[in-house]
Amino acid sequence: FAPPTRCRVVVDAAKAGFPKELYSSRIRAVGLADFLLRNLYDTCKQLGADDKMQGSGWKGPKGGDLQVLEPCQHVLEQSAVRIDTSNGDVIAQITVNLPARGRTILGHAAETIFGQTL
């Protein structure tokens, strides 16, 4: 059994395209990050990216899911998604259960997760 892989995704401010006014103060950056976390969480649910492969027995395929911190009803500063107020980069931290069969990583399925789903 291997623990899930923790990943950090950084989206450059130019690609994210958020106006500086949305993260000009700490409270605005927290609000924007909370909004993005809620959207990321909802999108993972809608795409089924949080669903594990269901294998039978030891050699069946397992894993293959993305896990994002579930947002609560309050707007809080969290490490799951944050905005770097110095340059506007968006930083998200997710957990990926790499798809595996037994003790072997399923490379093509992992490529799909990192290349398409993520």
Side-chain angles (χ1 to χ4, degrees):
F1 171 75
T5 303
R6 296 185 67 194
C7 298
R8 182 174 159 224
V9 179
V10 179
V11 179
D12 185 69
K15 286 196 181 207
F18 294 114
K20 184 152 180 72
E21 298 83 40
L22 292 180
Y23 56 88
S24 60
S25 68
R26 183 177 164 271
I27 194 72
R28 287 177 176 252
V30 169
L32 177 59
D34 184 78
F35 173 78
L36 294 173
L37 173 60
R38 291 174 193 281
N39 279 306
L40 178 61
Y41 181 80
D42 290 342
T43 301
C44 283
K45 288 280 188 199
Q46 289 173 358
L47 293 176
D50 60 335
D51 293 335
K52 295 180 181 182
M53 292 179 160
Q54 296 300 321
S56 58
W58 171 253
K59 293 191 177 193
K62 294 175 183 64
D65 59 309
L66 297 175
Q67 299 171 357
V68 179
L69 178 70
E70 183 174 2
C72 65
Q73 65 183 3
H74 304 287
V75 177
L76 300 171
E77 186 170 20
Q78 312 225 9
S79 62
V81 176
R82 65 182 183 86
I83 310 297
D84 185 343
T85 55
S86 66
N87 58 15
D89 290 351
V90 178
I91 302 159
Q93 294 186 23
I94 60 171
T95 304
V96 180
N97 279 320
L98 292 174
R101 181 179 315 248
R103 299 192 69 159
T104 305
I105 297 293
L106 300 175
H108 293 293
E111 178 186 22
T112 302
I113 290 171
F114 287 109
Q116 296 174 9
T117 306
L118 189 56

